[in-house]
Amino acid sequence: MNESPPVPLEPLYALADAELQERIAQAKAQLAERCLILGHHYQREEVYHFADLTGDSLKLSRLAAQRTSSQYIVFCGVHFMAEVADILSSPEQTVILPDLAAGCSMADMADLPHVQEAWQALSQVVDAEKVITPLTYVNSTADLKAFCGMHGGSVCTSSNAEKMLRWAFAQREKVLFFPDQHLGRNSSHRLGVPLAEMALWQPGLPNGGLSAEEIRRAKVLLWDGYCSVHTMFQPAHVALFRQRIPGIQVIVHPECAFEVCQLADDRGSTEQIQERVRSAPAGSKWAIGTELNLVNRLKREMPDKEIHFLCPTVCMCSTMFRIDLAHLCWVMENLQQGYVVNPIRVPEREATAARVALQRMLQVV
Ligand code: 13P
Ligand code: SF4
């Protein structure tokens, strides 16, 4: 990476959106096929507008693996998504994250030392390599995907968690699921695992806060991680909408708490929520429990439906929000001049093992 790119970032902050939009459009037109912009559904509207392809994390992972013709992939999403794109794209391609501070607070709740510590502690009680499949939510760092690759495990996304849990149970009798306890609990429950057979692993506590007996009894060990956006949705919000708007359908993301998912009519990934609401008849009424940018976009797109945000307060993914027009303009104009800023490069050893875990997922779903 060049130390000082020809286009500095700071002056771009002073520009009006219209000017930034014009400059991004120019750079995009000039880079043409060489540059692919991917956009996650939670991106702010003005950035989402420039995405060549949009999707949930599974769809974007697949697209990154398929689009070998683009030399640059500008990923308007968060850090773990760009890492997956780097792992699955070809070595000739470069993945760029417009703002390196666009992380995921849930992904930060599990790190390799703590997961290794958990694996060792579990191995004192059971033969972990024989009886536990490690399964990481895609919202995790590349080294945790590599850990799963090396220990017979895999990766899941919010759209395939049940399928991947079924796969994991077909390999070994127990699952260590990290970092999102809610996705793990909701999906395991739908497969028929009773709550009594799920145990919460609290990293940092001796034996994750569990007795040897609790570990032996558990079918699923759930890492104590969560999304601070999706845990804002409460059962009372569902009750309030049902009381206020008869006939309303409630659809939520499976990162929401178990009680909220139980009360909802339906659940799904960002792509699945979008498809479900789009395919509903005009006049249908919806309360949606996922990030605000997506819900507002659906509202604008479908004025013939009554769409509400499930929470009375603003729940936004503040890290996704860091990708703004100034950062997009900055990376695009530098690319135009042959400078790569903010490349995401997963070290090869780590990428190789993580690819094993990701490919196991892509073969199943
Ligand atoms: P999706 O897989 O539904 O896009 O979810 C990603 C995410 O981070 C939700 O918070
Ligand atoms: Fe991470 Fe939550 Fe943001 Fe999704 S919404 S990227 S889980 S912090």
Side-chain angles (χ1 to χ4, degrees), residues 40 42 77-78 80-81 103-107 137 139 180 226-230 253 255 290-291 316-320:
H40 186 266
Y42 292 164
V78 289
F80 73 83
M81 298 178 185
C104 164
S105 54
M106 177 212 282
Y137 187 23
N139 297 36
D180 187 16
Y226 59 89
C227 167
S228 48
V229 178
H230 288 90
H253 195 279
E255 286 174 15
T290 195
E291 209 263 0
M316 278 176 57
C317 180
S318 56
T319 45
M320 192 82 77

Side-chain angles (χ1 to χ4, degrees), residues 159-171:
S159 56
N160 64 24
E162 284 160 44
K163 268 192 197 150
M164 289 313 298
L165 275 162
R166 208 172 283 123
W167 173 88
F169 287 128
Q171 316 305 308

Side-chain angles (χ1 to χ4, degrees), residues 133-202:
T133 308
L135 187 62
T136 185
Y137 187 23
V138 70
N139 297 36
S140 56
T141 49
D143 54 3
L144 292 187
K145 296 181 178 84
F147 177 91
C148 290
M150 288 186 288
H151 293 274
S154 187
V155 180
C156 72
T157 72
S158 58
S159 56
N160 64 24
E162 284 160 44
K163 268 192 197 150
M164 289 313 298
L165 275 162
R166 208 172 283 123
W167 173 88
F169 287 128
Q171 316 305 308
R172 299 169 186 172
E173 66 195 62
K174 295 177 190 289
V175 172
L176 172 62
F177 190 98
F178 43 88
D180 187 16
Q181 57 164 299
H182 300 293
L183 179 66
R185 186 178 294 108
N186 289 322
S187 311
S188 302
H189 191 260
R190 282 174 75 92
L191 287 189
V193 180
L195 292 180
E197 289 177 24
M198 300 183 208
L200 192 66
W201 183 273
Q202 295 170 270

Side-chain angles (χ1 to χ4, degrees), residues 30 42 58 61 102 113 116 152 176 188 192 270-271 274 294 309 364-365:
Q30 203 202 313
Y42 292 164
L58 177 64
S61 304
Q116 283 170 329
L176 172 62
S188 302
T270 54
E271 186 80 13
Q274 188 170 277
L294 172 55
F309 185 58
V364 174
V365 298

